[in-house]
Amino acid sequence: MTESKSPFQRILLKISGEGFAREGETGLDTELVKGLAEQLRSLTTDGIQVACVIGGGNILRGKQSGSLGIARATADYMGMLATVINGLALADALESNGVPTRVMSAIDVHKVCEPFIRRRALRHLEKGRVVVLVGGLGSPYFTTDTAAAQRAIELDCDALLKATMVDGVYDKDPHVHKDAVHLPELSFDQVIQRQLRVMDQTAFTLCREHDLPLLVFDMNAEDGLSHAGRGHNIGTIIRN
Ligand code: UDP
């Protein structure tokens, strides 16, 4: 395998469900999925080991349980299954693009993918396969952000790259305040002191306690994913 020119040898990329649908829409947009696969392919050709944790918000989130009239735990399992659908779509696009890929799930769906087994996942990464992690952590009341932080630590990744709809962290919500200031670099303590919202508390605490650098970047920026994976100066980097 080619040696990586990036500061990262192994990354965990969190792609939320929003990355699989057009803005304001639900379901899957295959053109977007192909775009994601192409950017991931370019990272693997640089020798970067890539694991992705996939969200499911484009299909269903557990917190919609009230409006759907479904028990929260059931809706959470439905959300986890949504991540399986997205992950299979991404894996298909990657394989069509010539990228060896394995889908590993935290919930048992053995007809369509492998179960998540740490040592096996590490082996896939070492062999240059993209590992698409679905099913979150396999338990209700968690998010795929938390799954991403947990898996990044468990798989000894150099960084967690969180693809979002904004180009990093601001001092206040840029969608509401025109004068919001972009913050390119922060420590975990600064995020807490300034009460900035980066990701859910459980995920954030895991990154902080395990010294896992967290890069937040815009998934819609041109080649955003490829730049983030190569450690280029985009978005906001948070580290101790
Ligand atoms: N989910 C869960 N446990 C997990 C991960 C996810 O119950 O470990 C459920 C939860 O209902 C969540 C949904 O799956 O809302 C989809 O994941 P998430 O909302 O994190 O997706 P994203 O916002 O990244 O698209």
Side-chain angles (χ1 to χ4, degrees):
M1 200 174 34
T2 333
E3 195 167 328
S4 161
K5 289 172 222 121
S6 160
F8 307 135
Q9 296 293 311
R10 180 181 295 159
I11 55 171
L12 190 303
L13 188 67
K14 161 68 206 296
I15 309 174
S16 73
E18 284 166 330
F20 289 77
R22 295 259 163 221
E23 209 177 331
E25 291 180 15
T26 54
L28 272 173
D29 184 296
T30 46
E31 285 310 308
L32 285 180
V33 181
K34 280 184 197 162
L36 291 172
E38 177 49 33
Q39 292 191 62
L40 290 174
R41 189 194 61 75
S42 84
L43 289 177
T44 56
T45 54
D46 260 14
I48 300 166
Q49 297 180 15
V50 183
C52 308
V53 165
I54 308 299
N58 56 317
I59 301 172
L60 192 127
R61 285 197 178 94
K63 60 182 173 209
Q64 293 167 249
S65 62
S67 58
L68 293 171
I70 295 172
R72 176 61 194 253
T74 305
D76 277 338
Y77 280 112
M78 291 166 75
M80 287 183 251
L81 291 173
T83 73
V84 179
I85 293 174
N86 286 338
L88 290 175
L90 180 62
D92 186 79
L94 282 161
E95 293 269 351
S96 308
N97 225 342
V99 183
T101 306
R102 294 291 184 275
V103 184
M104 306 188 99
S105 178
I107 47 171
D108 207 359
V109 277
H110 64 270
K111 290 270 184 189
V112 290
C113 58
E114 296 178 23
F116 175 77
I117 296 169
R118 176 177 178 268
R119 290 176 66 108
R120 197 184 283 180
L122 288 170
R123 188 89 187 105
H124 289 322
L125 290 168
E126 282 158 11
K127 286 192 165 178
R129 297 169 182 151
V130 170
V131 176
V132 176
L133 297 164
V134 298
L137 287 170
S139 299
Y141 311 108
F142 287 106
T143 64
T144 52
D145 274 5
T146 299
Q150 193 277 341
R151 295 291 190 236
I153 297 160
E154 184 175 11
L155 296 175
D156 296 324
C157 293
D158 299 315
L160 167 54
L161 314 183
K162 180 174 155 65
T164 66
M165 301 306 273
V166 271
D167 62 342
V169 181
Y170 283 75
D171 62 343
K172 45 195 165 190
D173 187 349
H175 294 304
V176 181
H177 304 277
K178 278 203 164 64
D179 61 342
V181 178
H182 179 252
L183 305 165
E185 204 165 339
L186 289 163
S187 67
F188 286 102
D189 287 345
Q190 284 170 329
V191 172
I192 294 170
Q193 279 153 15
R194 300 175 74 161
Q195 299 186 340
L196 302 169
R197 183 116 190 89
V198 176
M199 65 198 320
D200 73 66
Q201 280 301 325
T202 317
F204 183 80
T205 305
L206 274 172
C207 295
R208 181 171 182 244
E209 287 186 357
H210 293 269
D211 271 344
L212 177 71
L214 168 63
L215 178 71
V216 182
F217 69 97
D218 183 0
M219 70 170 92
N220 295 317
E222 205 178 332
D223 295 328
L225 222 137
S226 321
H227 287 305
R230 291 183 173 83
H232 294 164
N233 205 6
I234 62 162
T236 298
I237 180 94
I238 302 158
R239 56 188 154 205
N240 278 331

